[in-house]
Amino acid sequence: LDWVLQVWQAYAPTVWLSLQLALGTATLAVVLGVPAAYALVRLDNRFARAFEELLVLPVAMPGFASALALLLG
């Protein structure tokens, strides 16, 4: 169990920095994401729908690529 203490002493600053960055990123995502999501729900125009489609595009792209591969292959 002594090795755990040695590893912690060697990497503790890196672990704390990583945790601080993760907490800051999560906070920023919530602060920016919640109002943006609320605005997208409340706005009912073409811009809001197009922006929603852009947000969904990374999730849909692997399915499109697989379907294209099946059709062409």
Side-chain angles (χ1 to χ4, degrees):
L1 213 51
D2 189 38
W3 65 270
V4 174
L5 183 60
Q6 290 176 353
V7 170
W8 178 254
Q9 288 173 348
Y11 293 107
T14 306
V15 170
W16 288 119
L17 178 62
S18 179
L19 289 174
Q20 288 173 346
L21 286 173
L23 183 62
T25 303
T27 303
L28 188 64
V30 169
V31 167
L32 294 177
V34 169
Y38 183 78
L40 282 176
V41 167
R42 289 295 176 199
L43 294 176
D44 192 24
N45 58 19
R46 289 181 7 201
F47 172 74
R49 287 194 301 264
F51 192 70
E52 285 180 33
E53 293 299 324
L54 285 175
L55 291 176
V56 174
L57 194 59
V59 176
M61 193 54 70
F64 292 145
S66 297
L68 188 61
L70 287 173
L71 287 174
L72 297 178

